[in-house]
Amino acid sequence: MLEATSFVLGSNPYAFWLGVLVKVSLVLGIGLLSNTLCARMSAAGKHFVLLLTLTALLIVPALSVLLPAWELTWLPTVAEAEDSASDRALTLVALEDSPHVGPQTANDLGDRNASATRHFQQTFLRQELGLITPALGLLQRITLRDWFIGLWLAGILFFALQLAHGLVTIHGLVRVANFDASAKLQGQLDAAASELGLGSRPRVAYSSRVGLPILWGWRRPLLILPEQARQWGQERLELVFLHELAHLKRLDGVTLLLIRAVVALYWFHPLVWWTERISRSLSERACDDVVLSRGHKPSVYASHLLSIASGGRGSSSILTPAMARRSQMEKRLRALLHPSNYHGSISSRRALTLGCLFLLMLVPISALTLVAQPPATPASSPSPALEVPQGAALPTLV
């Protein structure tokens, strides 16, 4: 197993993952900067750029292994560490050669200090933590690097369990939903799906456990409305149907699962959380643009969004888009009502162009390999004579 790891990742897998972390940070910075500079791009275009950025984080480790290495020298040289170790050894020799401190005295002091340190650690762990002696030896062998790896794996496990909990929660909502919607309401939803060119016809249901509309599923999608939606007028229902079906057409449910997987893998990186938050907001704004493209007035649509957000109570899931999340409402309303904002979608040709450009940028970044500086060749010079203090005995080499 270790031989296979060394063959794929090189002699030092920790240096490999450090390089991957640097590449991931660089990709995130480029994606966020592009999103900021393209101010006049539509919300759908910006969301696509951030989606490419987050997807690239899953590809970078694989490309780093498969592509030929493009070496960049920046790490400290190994010779420096060896020189530092040599300096420490020479210091110990000088200490042993000192006329005031003999070799035996220095060794005794070192042994007593090490023994006292081990005794203190074992006593503290045994009394305070209640660990047995075999566990003490195991803890002493665990390095700081191993603790970091364990913490990273524990974070991945936590977010994987959170993802599983979200799936169980949605399954429970679907199981207890009321499928007593009228044929007229189902027909209105089917008409909205036909207007957007969707082949699938979602079912509609009610639930008292949700405060906002939730769309779930791909092959057999289901739209769950809150119980207060029974009092909604026809105009609000039409706007809600168009917005939620826009999520289905854009495959936002699938991309949201992909984004959550990236967050689980890079949970420690603050730029990943920032990118995920912006992408969720842009996803909602892109669906708002789809509603406006069907001829609805921004002011009317904004008033309905405010009303739905103010009355929205109940549980929500991290795996489903939220139509009227309060934390995003201010930016969404400003984007809706700003006259100079472009509310169009992204064409297939532009999406393909952006994908190709992003791949061309990703290849050299993934091929980048951080290597240590080559050791400097010292100029040949006569070795200085070792000065021995008067009366000091030279160490005997055995």
Side-chain angles (χ1 to χ4, degrees):
M1 180 66 181
L2 292 176
E3 294 179 359
T5 304
S6 299
F7 175 75
V8 175
L9 304 182
S11 59
N12 192 349
Y14 301 104
F16 170 81
W17 287 113
L18 176 62
V20 169
L21 181 59
V22 173
K23 299 172 189 178
V24 162
S25 303
L26 184 58
V27 171
L28 285 169
I30 293 175
L32 291 171
L33 181 62
S34 302
N35 180 74
T36 304
L37 295 179
C38 300
R40 298 191 60 83
M41 186 182 291
S42 65
K46 293 181 178 180
H47 178 263
F48 184 73
V49 170
L50 293 186
L51 182 60
L52 287 176
T53 302
L54 291 172
T55 306
L57 304 190
L58 300 177
I59 306 175
V60 165
L63 290 181
S64 300
V65 175
L66 299 176
L67 293 176
W70 171 37
E71 295 186 351
L72 177 64
T73 303
W74 80 297
L75 294 176
T77 177
V78 179
E80 294 178 3
E82 296 176 352
D83 293 342
S84 178
S86 302
D87 294 341
R88 289 194 297 270
L90 289 175
T91 303
L92 180 58
V93 170
L95 179 63
E96 292 178 350
D97 292 343
S98 175
H100 304 287
V101 182
Q104 188 63 33
T105 306
N107 290 335
D108 291 343
L109 287 175
D111 293 341
R112 283 199 295 269
N113 289 336
S115 177
T117 302
R118 285 196 299 269
H119 178 72
F120 173 77
Q121 292 175 349
Q122 292 175 1
T123 304
F124 174 78
L125 292 174
R126 189 180 293 111
Q127 293 179 355
E128 301 297 330
L129 304 180
L131 298 177
I132 59 177
T133 304
L136 297 178
L138 178 62
L139 287 177
Q140 289 177 347
R141 289 194 298 269
I142 298 177
T143 63
L144 182 61
R145 188 166 52 189
D146 296 331
W147 283 111
F148 280 127
I149 295 176
L151 181 62
W152 174 58
L153 294 177
I156 293 178
L157 178 61
F158 171 78
F159 286 102
L161 292 176
Q162 188 183 52
L163 185 65
H165 179 265
L167 292 173
V168 172
T169 302
I170 295 176
H171 178 73
L173 290 176
V174 174
R175 186 166 47 86
V176 300
N178 300 322
F179 293 89
D180 58 351
S182 62
K184 179 181 178 181
L185 185 65
Q186 185 65 51
Q188 189 175 355
L189 180 60
D190 294 343
S194 300
E195 185 177 357
L196 294 180
L198 290 173
S200 58
R201 296 292 185 269
R203 297 174 298 164
V204 61
Y206 294 101
S207 176
S208 58
R209 297 171 59 181
V210 300
L212 299 172
I214 290 179
L215 182 68
W216 177 252
W218 299 278
R219 289 194 294 181
R220 297 183 60 190
L222 173 65
L223 177 61
I224 303 178
L225 299 175
E227 283 292 340
Q228 58 265 29
R230 297 180 185 272
Q231 284 76 43
W232 289 355
Q234 183 175 355
E235 183 182 46
R236 177 174 297 182
L237 287 173
E238 182 181 358
L239 295 175
V240 169
F241 289 163
L242 286 175
H243 181 95
E244 295 299 326
L245 292 176
H247 281 300
L248 183 61
K249 185 176 182 179
R250 288 169 35 85
L251 300 178
D252 284 335
V254 178
T255 58
L256 191 53
L257 285 175
L258 177 66
I259 291 174
R260 295 306 302 181
V262 175
V263 170
L265 185 61
Y266 298 99
W267 59 268
F268 56 88
H269 206 303
L271 289 182
V272 172
W273 289 97
W274 191 11
T275 308
E276 186 261 353
R277 180 179 180 182
I278 298 176
S279 67
R280 288 184 73 108
S281 176
L282 289 174
S283 173
E284 297 299 327
R285 287 173 51 186
C287 294
D288 294 340
D289 293 341
V290 172
V291 175
L292 298 183
S293 67
R294 314 316 298 179
H296 295 280
K297 294 182 178 180
S299 57
V300 175
Y301 180 56
S303 64
H304 283 290
L305 281 179
L306 279 175
S307 179
I308 294 173
S310 61
R313 297 289 187 276
S315 63
S316 59
S317 174
I318 60 173
L319 301 179
T320 56
M323 178 181 178
R325 194 184 298 272
R326 295 184 180 182
S327 59
Q328 304 172 353
M329 190 54 58
E330 181 181 355
K331 291 184 178 179
R332 287 178 63 185
L333 292 180
R334 283 190 295 178
L336 279 173
L337 302 176
H338 202 286
S340 62
N341 282 352
Y342 175 60
H343 299 290
S345 59
I346 180 172
S347 62
S348 302
R349 183 177 179 180
R350 176 168 293 186
L352 181 61
T353 303
L354 288 174
C356 293
L357 291 176
F358 213 86
L359 184 61
L360 290 176
M361 177 270 300
L362 190 62
V363 167
I365 293 179
S366 301
L368 183 65
T369 303
L370 306 177
V371 297
Q373 299 175 1
T377 305
S380 59
S381 57
S383 301
L386 181 62
E387 234 176 84
V388 180
Q390 229 176 3
L394 288 174
T396 303
L397 298 178
V398 181

